[in-house]
């Protein structure tokens, strides 16, 4: 009978650590800064899409967010609480219980000090970065960034595509989403508050959620909060953003979604002349009153209030290559004469309504 294989000894005489022990030690070091390591329910932050270079994307995100974060909220402050001497330290030496409480308090304080204003966590999808935020309002910060870039037309990033604020997260199951949305949407849509709205939906690495069903349920919740809330796909006051990654649903309500080019940092800095051109094939289809299938859900649409419909915008070749890396679950074809619920039909992004549907 063969003798069992023994692990080789290290030069010091001890056994070599197994791979699992190394992985645990590595994960422990990653958690030293405190806070979650991956996207999970209960977080707030900023969801950022990029073009194949996530490391560079994180660097650009930190630089941009810290620049505008310091401008809005002041420089990030770090106080060394765990090094402050305690006047009762000598008295507590004999009291074991008090000493334990003091130690626990010091650990909590030091953990809080290591929590940064912006911290990258694992998103769970390729070409997607999630930056957890602490002590700020993501929607206000991101809107401020996009608004400034829109006015100055100064390009500040190379690999970042879209930057979406995430004001709340929950489990990506319909019942959990409905329960969470009923409270989450109140500040914008519950009477006496009201406004026009649209719902945009994106799903990554998730196959159990149905797009139409989610949009229908969320639109129903908005309508139940105030009957004066109306759908507007041309120039809505609010846009409800739904981003699903694996088993986590990210929600936010943003302003100026169409004006700021769907919060696309590459498109928002372009001049009106560059962004007003249409693809001839798409323009012909729109003129005939037929629905056109969008090539990618992340391409920006130009809204024309005078015509009362969404025109599809031709994106330069570079942007097409960038957006091609993202899943295209937003794309959808709506056949003529198809019977659909009114709210779900109107708020579905990525499909152009025919003239008969609008009338």
């Amino acid at each position: 009978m063969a003798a069992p294989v023994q692990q080789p000894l290290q030069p010091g005489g001890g056994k070599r650590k197994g791979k699992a022990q190394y992985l645990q030690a590595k994960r422990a070091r990653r958690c030293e800064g405190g806070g979650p390591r991956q996207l999970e329910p209960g977080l707030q932050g900023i969801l950022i899409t990029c073009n194949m270079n996530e490391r560079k994307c994180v660097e650009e995100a930190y630089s941009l967010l810290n620049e505008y974060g310091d401008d809005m909220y002041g420089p990030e402050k770090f106080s060394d609480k765990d090094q402050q001497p305690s006047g009762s330290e000598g008295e507590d030496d004999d009291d074991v219980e008090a000493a334990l409480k003091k130690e626990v308090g010091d650990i909590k304080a030091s953990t809080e000090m290591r929590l940064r204003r912006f911290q990258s966590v694992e998103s769970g999808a390729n070409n997607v970065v999630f930056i957890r935020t602490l002590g700020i309002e993501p929607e206000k910060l991101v809107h401020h960034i996009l608004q400034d870039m829109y006015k100055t037309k100064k390009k500040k990033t190379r690999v970042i595509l879209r930057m979406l604020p995430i004001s709340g997260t929950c489990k990506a199951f319909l019942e959990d989403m409905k329960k969470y949305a009923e409270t989450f949407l109140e500040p914008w849509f519950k009477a006496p508050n009201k406004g026009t709205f649209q719902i945009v939906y994106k799903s990554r690495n998730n196959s159990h959620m149905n797009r139409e069903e989610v949009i229908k349920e969320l639109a129903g919740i908005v309508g139940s909060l105030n009957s004066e809330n109306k759908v507007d796909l041309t120039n809505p006051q609010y846009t409800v953003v739904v981003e699903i990654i694996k088993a986590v649903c990210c929600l936010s309500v943003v302003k100026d979604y169409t004006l700021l080019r769907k919060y696309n940092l590459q498109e928002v800095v372009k001049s009106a002349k560059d962004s007003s051109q249409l693809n001839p094939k798409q323009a012909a289809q729109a003129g005939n009153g037929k629905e056109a299938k969008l090539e990618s859900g992340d391409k920006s649409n130009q809204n024309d209030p005078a015509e009362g419909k969404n025109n599809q915008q031709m994106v330069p070749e570079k942007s097409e290559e960038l957006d091609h890396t993202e899943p295209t679950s937003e794309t959808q074809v709506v056949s003529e004469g198809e019977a659909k619920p009114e709210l779900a039909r109107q708020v579905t992004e990525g499909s152009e309504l025919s003239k008969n549907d609008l009338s």
Side-chain angles (χ1 to χ4, degrees):
M1 180 176 179
V5 179
Q6 296 183 353
Q7 292 184 351
L9 298 178
Q10 290 183 338
K15 292 184 178 180
R16 187 173 60 183
K17 290 183 178 181
K19 184 176 180 181
Q21 292 176 296
Y22 283 115
L23 291 176
Q24 290 175 359
K26 183 178 180 180
R27 290 171 181 170
R29 287 195 296 270
R30 290 178 60 188
C31 294
E32 285 177 357
R37 293 182 293 107
Q38 61 185 5
L39 179 60
E40 61 185 29
L43 294 183
Q44 284 189 335
I46 300 168
L47 190 147
I48 303 171
T49 62
C50 62
N51 180 35
M52 301 298 293
N53 194 339
E54 294 185 18
R55 179 175 297 181
K56 180 65 175 177
C57 176
V58 173
E59 294 176 0
E60 289 187 351
Y62 280 152
S63 176
L64 192 66
L65 294 174
N66 283 319
E67 175 188 348
Y68 285 91
D70 292 348
D71 180 50
M72 290 186 66
Y73 301 98
E76 194 170 4
K77 298 179 181 180
F78 301 97
S79 59
D80 204 354
K81 290 183 179 180
D82 53 348
Q83 293 184 3
Q84 294 178 357
S86 175
S88 59
E89 184 176 357
E91 300 175 1
D92 292 340
D93 288 341
D94 297 332
D95 190 344
V96 178
E97 184 178 357
L100 289 174
K101 289 182 179 180
K102 180 180 181 301
E103 185 176 357
V104 171
D106 291 342
I107 294 174
K108 290 182 178 179
S110 61
T111 302
E112 291 175 359
M113 291 305 100
R114 288 195 293 264
L115 290 177
R116 301 297 302 270
R117 178 182 287 172
F118 305 108
Q119 180 63 52
S120 174
V121 300
E122 183 67 31
S123 67
N126 293 331
N127 302 324
V128 178
V129 171
F130 189 87
I131 305 294
R132 176 192 54 76
T133 59
L134 185 66
I136 68 169
E137 298 177 271
E139 64 278 2
K140 291 186 177 180
L141 176 60
V142 175
H143 186 270
H144 176 62
I145 294 173
L146 270 294
Q147 195 173 43
D148 182 68
M149 294 180 67
Y150 177 78
K151 292 178 180 178
T152 62
K153 301 299 180 184
K154 184 178 179 181
K155 187 175 181 179
K156 296 190 175 184
T157 63
R158 297 183 62 185
V159 301
I160 293 179
L161 299 180
R162 301 176 71 198
M163 181 176 282
L164 296 171
I166 302 300
S167 301
T169 54
C170 64
K171 294 181 180 180
F173 297 95
L174 189 59
E175 292 302 320
D176 295 275
M177 293 171 60
K178 289 166 59 177
K179 184 178 179 180
Y180 184 79
E182 289 174 355
T183 304
F184 176 80
L185 297 173
E186 286 183 354
W188 297 275
F189 299 109
K190 186 176 182 179
N193 299 324
K194 62 180 180 179
T196 57
F197 73 98
Q198 66 174 347
I199 296 175
V200 296
Y201 176 95
K202 185 82 170 181
S203 177
R204 297 177 176 88
N205 298 339
N206 181 293
S207 59
H208 68 269
M209 297 302 301
N210 181 275
R211 171 195 176 93
E212 297 294 335
E213 190 175 8
V214 171
I215 292 177
K216 178 182 177 181
E217 293 293 343
L218 293 181
I221 291 174
V222 174
S224 66
L225 292 175
N226 191 336
S227 59
E228 296 185 14
N229 294 324
K230 302 298 181 182
V231 173
D232 183 357
L233 298 180
T234 303
N235 188 25
Q237 185 178 357
Y238 300 110
T239 297
V240 181
V241 177
V242 183
E243 292 277 343
I244 294 180
I245 302 179
K246 289 187 175 179
V248 180
C249 172
C250 304
L251 290 173
S252 63
V253 180
V254 299
K255 296 181 179 180
D256 302 323
Y257 186 73
T258 51
L259 175 67
L260 299 179
R261 319 303 289 172
K262 292 187 176 182
Y263 280 46
N264 189 314
L265 272 63
Q266 304 300 321
E267 297 294 325
V268 76
V269 296
K270 294 181 180 179
S271 63
K273 182 179 179 180
D274 295 335
S275 61
S276 61
Q277 299 178 355
L278 283 176
N279 185 312
K281 183 178 180 180
Q282 294 177 350
Q285 290 176 335
N288 292 333
K290 297 179 180 180
E291 284 79 12
K293 182 178 181 180
L294 297 181
E295 295 181 0
S296 174
D298 285 339
K299 294 183 181 179
S300 302
N301 294 334
Q302 180 187 11
N303 294 319
D304 188 354
E307 296 183 5
K309 62 181 180 180
N310 292 340
N311 293 329
Q312 297 181 18
Q313 174 195 350
M314 181 182 70
V315 182
E317 294 180 0
K318 183 176 180 181
S319 296
E320 291 180 359
E321 295 176 358
L322 298 178
D323 287 341
H324 182 68
T325 62
E326 295 186 9
T328 56
S329 62
E330 281 187 347
T331 59
Q332 180 184 11
V333 178
V334 180
S335 59
E336 295 184 3
E338 182 180 357
K340 301 174 65 177
E342 182 179 358
L343 285 177
R345 173 176 55 80
Q346 291 181 350
V347 300
T348 302
E349 188 202 28
S351 59
E352 183 182 355
L353 299 180
S354 65
K355 295 181 180 180
N356 294 332
D357 291 331
L358 292 174
S359 59

